[in-house]
Amino acid sequence: MGSKEDQSSAGGGGGGFFSSIAAGVRSWGTAVHKSVNGLVGYEGLEVINPEGGNEDAEAEALRGRWKQEDRDSYWKMMHKYIGADVTSLVTLPVIIFEPMSMLQRMAEILEYSELLNKADECDDPYMRLAYAASWFVSNYYALQRTWKPFNPILGETFEVINHCGVTFIAEQVSHHPPMSVGHGENEHFTYDITSKLKTKFLGNSVDVYPVGRTRLVLKKSGHAFDLVPPPTKVNNLIFGRTWVDSPGELVLTNLTTGEKAVLYFHPCGWFGQGRFEVDGYVYSSEEEPKVLMTGKFNESMSCQPCDLEGEPLPGTELKELWRCLPSPANDKYQYTHFAHKLNSFDTAPKGLLPSDSRLRPDRFALEKGDMSKSGSEKSRLEEKQRAEKRMREARNDKFTPRWFNLTEDITPTPWGDLEVYEFNGKYTEHRAQIESSTALTDADPTAIEFSPWQYPDEFE
């Protein structure tokens, strides 16, 4: 965990301990960078090998998922956007997509919700933070997938019912810029997120900045928590094997008491050194280290009480807080078992909303392996979205989310200000009516036509 001098100067914001780790990592590099100089027309583009081998740059570059003709076509389309935010600038080919929407990706954080149940039941304020921080870390295994989820259509939704007792609803509330909002709740906690991604395209990689606001409230204590996650970098988009890194700090703050957890995600270095590793502390409101945390976000997280210099207390041992469940072997899209459940109609709730991501015809076609139909359906949905936008503008109308309301709050983030949406409670009423109804018990969800449109009957 570093020297006493480093740890004692860490403080609530990360300070010396994390700075020393970062400096140490940078001293031996961040993976192996290779310029694709041998490929005509692609001079200067970088290929980064996370395993840090000694392969020739051209050989590594050609190991990606692209066929040469697809890669060349994509590069001709994309090279003019270097340095730009490409979040909603371009239409991307389905070859890089997974059969899931971003709203479903948002729901994957629910997999280990029992950690929040434990946090709510915990009387120790520092262990409470350790459990909650481990929950947020657990999501980074799913974020390592190298396939892009579909951008949600404006008004698209996704529902999860009764996972660890949690009911979750997400809705796409803006198309330009893309913004997604989610609310999850059970007897132990409420979880609210307003999410807006900002990107910077760098040629063979893209930086992803998580502009967003996360609020977690534990019901027993009533304490509220705020999350600031690290940015993410997607490497080898066109050349080489695509992989994801999220170096930087994750800061989870108890807004009620001032305690915080500060965890450092190590960048990937030579020969994969540091990849997946997470270290840090839970601090008191006086910025004194109380609990050290360590682990790998693709394996497990553990913690141990520590002294004011960050050293483990004598007579204590590391306690495992969370362990990643096994995933399916050789899965095409690197899905976990939970991701497959989220994508399945078998887990769709009774009375599934017609705006649900499961019903998207482009997503469903890709899941069945029909790339051509997926591409054509994606284009059709995007054109339909543009048509509805023209209709709204002609009426001088604005899109109105169904399950969330825009607040007057503007939240500053490290990557820009964010408009904040809040759950309006209407979904709770809707779900109660559905659950009390007997009419929909035998309804086939696959027979429902995807319809997130505000004016579904007026532009067919």
Side-chain angles (χ1 to χ4, degrees):
M1 296 294 295
S3 69
K4 288 186 178 182
E5 289 77 7
D6 291 336
Q7 292 160 354
S8 63
S9 64
F17 168 51
F18 296 114
S19 297
S20 67
I21 290 179
V25 169
R26 283 192 289 269
S27 70
W28 41 258
T30 52
V32 173
H33 294 61
K34 295 176 179 178
S35 181
V36 193
N37 292 319
L39 299 179
V40 177
Y42 303 98
E43 292 80 5
L45 284 184
E46 246 179 2
V47 172
I48 304 177
N49 178 9
E51 284 83 29
N54 296 314
E55 299 89 356
D56 176 80
E58 293 180 44
E60 173 62 26
L62 297 175
R63 286 183 175 185
R65 66 173 62 114
W66 295 84
K67 296 179 180 177
Q68 181 176 343
E69 58 272 22
D70 294 330
R71 181 198 69 202
D72 293 346
S73 175
Y74 183 66
W75 174 242
K76 288 178 182 178
M77 177 181 69
M78 292 296 296
H79 77 277
K80 60 185 176 183
Y81 294 110
I82 290 179
D85 183 344
V86 293
T87 307
S88 54
L89 275 179
V90 294
T91 299
L92 301 173
V94 294
I95 188 176
I96 67 172
F97 282 75
E98 64 177 9
M100 181 180 280
S101 86
M102 182 61 75
L103 299 182
Q104 292 170 286
R105 272 277 184 110
M106 288 175 62
E108 288 193 69
I109 196 172
L110 300 176
E111 179 167 8
Y112 299 98
S113 294
E114 68 273 6
L115 288 169
L116 293 187
N117 296 348
K118 292 178 180 179
D120 185 52
E121 295 167 347
C122 185
D123 293 326
D124 184 311
Y126 308 119
M127 286 302 299
R128 185 185 301 147
L129 255 174
Y131 279 119
S134 294
W135 183 64
F136 285 109
V137 169
S138 73
N139 191 44
Y140 278 82
Y141 180 72
L143 293 179
Q144 290 299 295
R145 289 209 302 272
T146 59
W147 303 89
K148 184 188 181 305
F150 285 96
N151 289 338
I153 298 294
L154 185 64
E156 184 175 331
T157 60
F158 184 67
E159 301 176 79
V160 179
I161 303 299
N162 203 30
H163 172 74
C164 290
V166 179
T167 296
F168 176 83
I169 178 69
E171 183 175 12
Q172 189 73 0
V173 298
S174 173
H175 181 59
H176 289 296
M179 292 182 67
S180 307
V181 184
H183 173 84
E185 184 170 1
N186 70 0
E187 63 179 336
H188 292 285
F189 67 87
T190 61
Y191 166 69
D192 291 276
I193 180 170
T194 299
S195 175
K196 178 172 72 174
L197 295 182
K198 181 179 179 180
T199 63
K200 185 176 182 180
F201 179 61
L202 301 173
N204 200 34
S205 65
V206 62
D207 288 339
V208 182
Y209 305 100
V211 182
R213 192 188 82 159
T214 297
R215 286 291 184 272
L216 169 68
V217 176
L218 298 178
K219 293 186 174 181
K220 181 179 177 181
S221 66
H223 290 183
F225 300 80
D226 173 78
L227 176 76
V228 178
T232 290
K233 188 181 188 72
V234 183
N235 300 285
N236 298 356
L237 288 174
I238 306 173
F239 297 97
R241 296 163 290 183
T242 305
W243 63 284
V244 181
D245 204 13
S246 298
E249 285 184 350
L250 178 151
V251 181
L252 180 64
T253 304
N254 186 326
L255 298 175
T256 308
T257 65
E259 301 143 357
K260 65 174 64 175
V262 184
L263 302 180
Y264 181 72
F265 285 60
H266 292 242
C268 178
W270 295 113
F271 302 101
Q273 186 173 351
R275 191 177 184 190
F276 310 119
E277 292 183 8
V278 182
D279 296 297
Y281 293 99
V282 175
Y283 295 93
S284 70
S285 57
E286 291 77 27
E287 300 190 349
E288 298 173 337
K290 294 294 183 178
V291 177
L292 66 84
M293 298 184 64
T294 185
K296 292 186 175 183
F297 63 76
N298 66 333
E299 292 181 5
S300 64
M301 287 297 295
S302 298
C303 73
Q304 189 170 2
C306 65
D307 61 23
L308 295 182
E309 295 184 333
E311 292 291 342
L313 287 178
T316 64
E317 297 180 350
L318 275 175
K319 174 184 177 181
E320 185 173 275
L321 300 173
W322 161 78
R323 178 163 292 276
C324 190
L325 295 172
S327 295
N330 302 317
D331 190 87
K332 178 177 180 180
Y333 293 107
Q334 303 161 296
Y335 278 7
T336 63
H337 290 291
F338 184 66
H340 279 290
K341 289 180 180 179
L342 289 178
N343 230 20
S344 173
F345 284 103
D346 294 339
T347 60
K350 181 174 71 171
L352 183 67
L353 291 168
S355 49
D356 194 87
S357 301
R358 298 174 183 86
L359 300 169
R360 288 184 61 141
D362 51 356
R363 185 212 66 79
F364 190 68
L366 184 60
E367 185 176 47
K368 298 301 182 183
D370 192 336
M371 298 280 288
S372 177
K373 184 175 182 180
S374 178
S376 62
E377 288 290 350
K378 178 174 176 288
S379 297
R380 184 179 68 84
L381 291 179
E382 290 168 347
E383 177 52 41
K384 203 169 183 178
Q385 182 168 237
R386 288 188 285 268
E388 187 183 46
K389 180 183 178 181
R390 290 192 292 268
M391 179 178 293
R392 285 198 310 275
E393 290 176 343
R395 295 183 176 192
N396 198 27
D397 198 1
K398 296 180 68 175
F399 173 79
T400 303
R402 185 174 179 184
W403 311 115
F404 297 87
N405 296 335
L406 179 63
T407 71
E408 296 181 356
D409 293 344
I410 301 294
T411 293
T413 78
W415 304 284
D417 291 343
L418 175 75
E419 306 88 348
V420 176
Y421 286 78
E422 65 180 3
F423 182 61
N424 60 24
K426 293 180 181 179
Y427 181 77
T428 303
E429 300 171 5
H430 164 80
R431 180 47 50 191
Q433 292 176 353
I434 293 294
E435 294 301 327
S436 64
S437 172
T438 58
L440 299 172
T441 302
D442 299 321
D444 178 9
T446 63
I448 302 171
E449 183 178 358
F450 179 63
S451 180
W453 323 110
Q454 188 162 317
Y455 308 112
D457 303 321
E458 299 185 33
F459 60 100
E460 296 291 343

